[in-house]
Structure formats: structure tokens, C-alpha cells
Amino acid sequence: MVVLDPGHNGGNAAHPSIINAPVPDGRGGTKACNTTGTATNAGYPEHAFTWDVALRTRARLEAAGVRVVLTRPDDVGVGPCVDVRGRSGGRVGAAAFVGIHGDGAAASGRGFHVITSSPPLAGTAMATASSALARAVRDAMTAVEPVSNYLGSDGLDQRSDLAGLNLSTVPAIYIECGNMRNATDAAWMSSAAGRDAAAARLAAGILRFLGR
Ligand code: ZN
């Protein structure tokens, strides 16, 4: 079983009191329950991108015989908060947790990057497994999108501040599939064909990690 976590949600912007509420960040502090996410300059929102890519990825994983749990049921609701998302992999006994996002960086930045939690909170073995998951997805994604030219190293980045990764007790990554503020990335991220190609590679990377 795999948990796919489509970042943000369509109703978040209309419910600031809910999504701005503090929740545990996994390192003894707090952060906001959730955020609205970014958008392309033309207004295609990140929450719609992540939802569509998650559905397309789920379809491919299920076709390969992998059970998939999504952290939200639709693209019109609010939340769930990042701590709930982060704990979801352990709650359902998943083999992997994959958070799907699109970045909102400076327009010159292009490419995808995969993020793991560091320093690791879930133990050395889990950190090693998360790194293996990150590399498998990175290797698969390079077939359709270059690695980030503005963040991380060779498509891999590590962060301490992401509750969704910090609180996971199963191998966990976030993937920023592209930069929605970059014209080249925005073009494919706004296209169904582009999202389908990305989902195919994302699924391939997850399947590789699962040894299938
Ligand atoms: Zn995001």
C-alpha cells in the first residue's frame, strides 16, 4: 500500500481560520495546518495540479496491483492539516508516503526536486529507505523533466521544516514536480498530457522502490 498526498486543497483559501491554525511540526514546534499553495501566472492552482497528478498516479499504481490511499477525498474540501497527512502512512501501514506539490519559486527556476526530512526523526533505517525512495523517484522523473536548477543537488533536497515528512513513520518524500512560476514548467503542468506523463514517471519510480 502507498499513500499519495496531493498537496493543499481547493477549499483552503476560503477557510483561513482552519488552515492557519497551528499544528505540531514534528520537531517540538508548530506550523500552519495547511496553506493555499501556489499557482501558475495564468491562475492554474497547485491544488488542482496535485489532485490531478495524484489521481493519474493512483490509476497506474492500482493497475500494477498496488493499493493506494489518498490523504484527501476530493479537490473542493479543506485540509487535512499537514500533521494528519504526515501520520497517514503509519496509520494505514503504507510502504511509502509520497507528497505531491508544485513549487512557486522565482520565474528563472526550472525543474523538479524531491525532498526528504533531515535530520531524520524516524530513525536511521527509515531515513535510508526514504533516501532510496527519493532516488528512485528522481531517477524516474528525469525522463520527463530536468532536475531543479535552483534548489537542492541533482534533484534531491533535504528539509527540517516539513511536518508531513517529519511525522511520517514510513519512508516519505515530497516531490515538487516543477516550478509553476516558470513559463516552461507552467506549460506542461497546465496540460493534461503533461500531468499524465509526470504521473507515469512518478508511478514508475514508486514501483521501482517497491521492487515491482
Ligand atoms: Zn505545495
Side-chain angles (χ1 to χ4, degrees):
M1 184 191 302
V2 169
V3 172
L4 297 179
D5 176 34
H8 316 283
N9 205 336
N12 282 5
H15 296 84
S17 64
I18 296 174
I19 68 162
N20 290 332
V23 298
D25 68 0
R27 294 189 188 272
T30 62
K31 68 184 308 178
C33 160
N34 214 304
T35 60
T36 59
T38 187
T40 67
N41 290 343
Y44 179 64
E46 182 187 356
H47 65 77
F49 170 82
T50 69
W51 176 243
D52 188 68
V53 171
L55 293 184
R56 294 173 187 276
T57 305
R58 178 177 68 175
R60 284 177 169 79
L61 292 174
E62 288 182 341
V66 177
R67 286 201 293 153
V68 175
V69 172
L70 300 179
T71 56
R72 54 181 167 104
D74 53 47
D75 193 37
V76 295
V78 181
C81 297
V82 287
D83 59 324
V84 173
R85 294 176 190 244
R87 291 187 173 106
S88 61
R91 195 167 55 242
V92 301
F97 170 94
V98 177
I100 301 169
H101 287 263
D103 209 358
S108 59
R110 193 191 165 197
F112 81 92
H113 63 281
V114 182
I115 308 167
T116 50
S117 175
S118 182
L121 291 171
T124 304
M126 199 60 68
T128 300
S130 293
S131 294
L133 173 61
R135 286 194 303 275
V137 167
R138 187 272 314 272
D139 292 350
M141 280 293 289
T142 53
V144 293
E145 172 75 353
V147 297
S148 170
N149 65 6
Y150 64 95
L151 234 176
S153 173
D154 202 15
L156 302 176
D157 191 29
Q158 298 177 330
R159 285 174 61 170
S160 64
D161 63 315
L162 296 175
L165 297 179
N166 293 342
L167 290 164
S168 182
T169 55
V170 307
I173 60 168
Y174 275 7
I175 179 166
E176 297 279 5
C177 297
N179 176 15
M180 301 190 83
R181 297 292 183 181
N182 172 273
T184 305
D185 278 354
W188 77 256
M189 297 173 87
S190 302
S191 109
R195 293 191 297 274
D196 203 56
R201 300 314 301 162
L202 186 52
I206 294 167
L207 290 170
R208 171 73 64 86
F209 170 76
L210 296 175
R212 305 179 61 130

